[in-house]
Amino acid sequence: MMRDRWKELAERLGSWKYVLLVGLVGLVLLVWPTGQSAGEDDGVTEEARLETLLSQIEGVGEVSLLLSDSGAAIVCQGADSAAVRLEITEAVRCYTGLGADKIEIFKMMEG
């Protein structure tokens, strides 16, 4: 009985049955859980990844970073150098897509 219903449905769909099957498989793959949250890479946050990148720029030194959808605040040892500030701004801009006016850089306290 059920088998007859499936056969009848397959006959009605005709040549579209393969297109629908591929679409259904694609939809299942899109919603399949991957085990990772969006924006996480093995527990490493976007901020931590960017902090690691920025600390590799010559003259930056120790760095802390806070990101939001509306901007970035960076505190680093080398913030008193205009060249370092420019390189940090460019790196953050490239990574986040934020405009330079949304990126603030501050000098880290000594000690």
Side-chain angles (χ1 to χ4, degrees):
M1 176 99 173
M2 185 63 101
R3 186 177 280 184
D4 293 334
R5 291 179 102 183
W6 283 110
K7 277 186 176 182
E8 182 181 329
L9 180 62
E11 287 174 8
R12 283 188 194 167
L13 293 174
S15 63
W16 287 98
K17 63 185 172 186
Y18 296 109
V19 173
L20 292 173
L21 180 62
V22 169
L24 182 62
V25 168
L27 184 61
V28 167
L29 290 174
L30 281 174
V31 298
W32 195 274
T34 62
Q36 287 186 342
S37 300
E40 290 187 17
D41 184 27
D42 295 333
V44 178
T45 66
E46 185 174 280
E47 289 171 339
R49 291 175 63 197
L50 191 50
E51 282 177 358
T52 300
L53 172 76
L54 294 176
S55 69
Q56 300 302 309
I57 297 173
E58 186 175 345
V60 171
E62 188 179 339
V63 64
S64 291
L65 169 75
L66 182 61
L67 284 178
S68 73
D69 292 335
S70 60
I74 299 106
V75 179
C76 69
Q77 292 173 330
D80 51 353
S81 165
V84 169
R85 293 171 63 90
L86 179 61
E87 288 192 38
I88 290 172
T89 301
E90 285 301 302
V92 173
R93 186 188 59 78
C94 288
Y95 184 81
T96 64
L98 292 169
D101 62 322
K102 302 292 182 182
I103 301 167
E104 295 293 331
I105 304 167
F106 305 96
K107 176 81 174 146
M108 184 175 279
M109 276 188 343
E110 298 295 326

